[in-house]
Amino acid sequence: MKHIYKNERNESLFSLSTLPCTDNELLLKENEYYRILWLKNGKATIRVDGIDYTIIENQIIFLTPLNKIQIIDTEENMLALIFNREFYCIQQHDQEVSCYGYLFFGSSDVPIVSLSSEEQNSFDLLYQVMLEEFENQDQIQGEMLQVLLKRFLIKCTRLARKNLENPEINQDKLDLIRQFNVLVEMHFKNKHKVADYADLLNKSPKTLSNLFGEYNSKSPLQVIQERIVLEAKRLFLYTDKSAKEIAFEIGFDDAAHFSRFFKKSVGKSPSEFKKSSII
């Protein structure tokens, strides 16, 4: 099954398909699409940036255009929702769905949402409405599909919030954490300290640390360092750049300092990591 909406005028694209599907497997490898994978039955293994994630029935995984992914093993009933920024820009429409810096670009961890049986029924209904809308090829089809995608993202954001250390955390605090995550995504190559981001947010480093204590088990510094490590791993895995080139690219003036940081974080030196992770 494969449905694709395209608007040649603004180059927007939204696709809903069942995997495995050759065309969409190609889309999964592109770097310009947001990708949401919903496993309807069974179990699947997905490699994201060199790390294998196992998802089970009725789990949904969210991937940004930056994630390098490979479907290692899957049942037939994995649904893929794929869209580009031209179809729906989560940054520009953040006030609508509040998933920027949360479901997407929230941290180096890949968000996975689990559906209960009741939630599954609700999502199934939404999925059926999407399918119907793909058949309505009229002038408002794109707008209608965008509305349905927004609804899907809002429902997933609400479910993800239930998994927080403190699900009752207020929206202002959650928005501040999302802003922090987005700033890390924007500046991790040249800003490596919590104080750098505290300045950008007009907060103290201690305020950020206390805030993250309510949000999850990670500290702000861990979020920054994990993002740096993720980028280093991507560059080691998917480019031919040397450790020295990668060190400079992610903001280290001293390659030896980067090597020590990487080994402390990963447990292997850059050369050991590259040798053991050939894809």
Side-chain angles (χ1 to χ4, degrees):
M1 180 276 289
K2 179 178 65 178
H3 297 279
I4 294 182
Y5 165 82
K6 285 183 180 179
N7 185 326
E8 302 293 343
R9 189 174 55 186
N10 60 14
E11 298 183 339
S12 63
L13 179 146
F14 178 38
S15 166
L16 176 62
S17 62
T18 304
L19 294 177
C21 172
T22 304
D23 288 346
N24 280 291
E25 284 180 347
L26 291 176
L27 281 179
L28 290 171
K29 295 175 182 175
E30 295 288 346
N31 289 331
E32 57 186 288
Y33 301 104
Y34 290 92
R35 295 148 294 180
I36 302 169
L37 304 179
W38 174 9
L39 185 64
K40 299 282 288 180
N41 294 294
K43 185 169 69 174
T45 303
I46 303 169
R47 183 167 294 157
V48 183
D49 300 320
I51 299 174
D52 288 351
Y53 292 84
T54 298
I55 60 173
I56 59 174
E57 181 175 330
N58 279 314
Q59 285 191 323
I60 303 173
I61 187 168
F62 301 86
L63 303 158
T64 76
L66 299 179
N67 288 129
K68 308 283 188 184
I69 73 168
Q70 181 182 1
I71 307 297
I72 303 298
D73 181 31
T74 182
E75 305 289 338
E76 291 186 1
N77 285 327
M78 179 180 282
L79 298 180
L81 288 78
I82 300 167
F83 62 98
N84 60 10
R85 292 184 180 91
E86 287 74 19
F87 181 76
Y88 191 72
C89 178
I90 60 170
Q91 182 179 5
Q92 290 180 358
H93 297 89
D94 184 55
Q95 290 188 339
E96 296 176 345
V97 295
S98 301
C99 68
Y100 186 45
Y102 194 30
L103 291 181
F104 301 103
F105 301 114
S107 74
S108 300
D109 296 328
V110 175
I112 298 175
V113 166
S114 299
L115 305 182
S116 67
S117 56
E118 289 183 357
E119 290 154 353
Q120 179 191 348
N121 292 335
S122 175
F123 274 74
D124 279 340
L125 285 173
L126 182 54
Y127 164 63
Q128 291 299 328
V129 176
M130 279 188 187
L131 287 179
E132 292 173 10
E133 198 54 48
F134 271 104
E135 300 296 330
N136 294 324
Q137 298 179 0
D138 56 20
Q139 59 185 9
I140 61 170
Q141 184 193 27
E143 186 177 345
M144 289 298 292
L145 287 171
Q146 196 179 77
V147 168
L148 294 171
L149 176 63
K150 281 193 288 188
R151 181 166 173 74
F152 189 94
L153 291 172
I154 290 169
K155 288 169 69 67
C156 290
T157 300
R158 287 173 176 165
L159 288 176
R161 184 168 175 160
K162 293 180 180 177
N163 295 329
L164 296 177
E165 293 279 322
N166 175 14
E168 303 302 320
I169 187 170
N170 69 48
Q171 191 60 47
D172 287 344
K173 291 181 178 179
L174 192 57
D175 286 344
L176 185 57
I177 289 168
R178 295 198 302 118
Q179 290 174 38
F180 176 87
N181 290 335
V182 169
L183 288 172
V184 170
E185 187 61 37
M186 293 171 62
H187 300 293
F188 71 90
K189 291 184 178 179
N190 50 40
K191 295 185 185 299
H192 294 179
K193 299 177 181 176
V194 176
D196 295 331
Y197 298 93
D199 286 344
L200 292 173
L201 292 166
N202 276 330
K203 302 292 181 185
S204 70
K206 185 176 181 182
T207 297
L208 293 180
S209 295
N210 291 339
L211 193 58
F212 269 78
E214 292 187 54
Y215 178 60
N216 60 24
S217 57
K218 291 183 182 177
S219 69
L221 184 60
Q222 281 178 286
V223 174
I224 298 166
Q225 292 183 338
E226 286 182 3
R227 183 62 186 91
I228 296 168
V229 169
L230 173 62
E231 191 67 15
K233 285 181 174 179
R234 280 179 182 158
L235 292 170
F236 279 124
L237 290 172
Y238 301 106
T239 74
D240 293 325
K241 294 181 178 179
S242 68
K244 186 176 182 180
E245 290 173 320
I246 291 172
F248 290 154
E249 183 166 333
I250 56 178
F252 287 81
D253 294 329
D254 182 354
H257 179 204
F258 164 70
S259 184
R260 290 193 297 273
F261 165 79
F262 188 88
K263 185 165 186 177
K264 183 178 179 182
S265 302
V266 180
K268 297 177 182 176
S269 69
S271 58
E272 290 170 339
F273 174 78
K274 192 157 187 173
K275 286 178 184 175
S276 64
S277 306
I278 297 174
I279 295 177

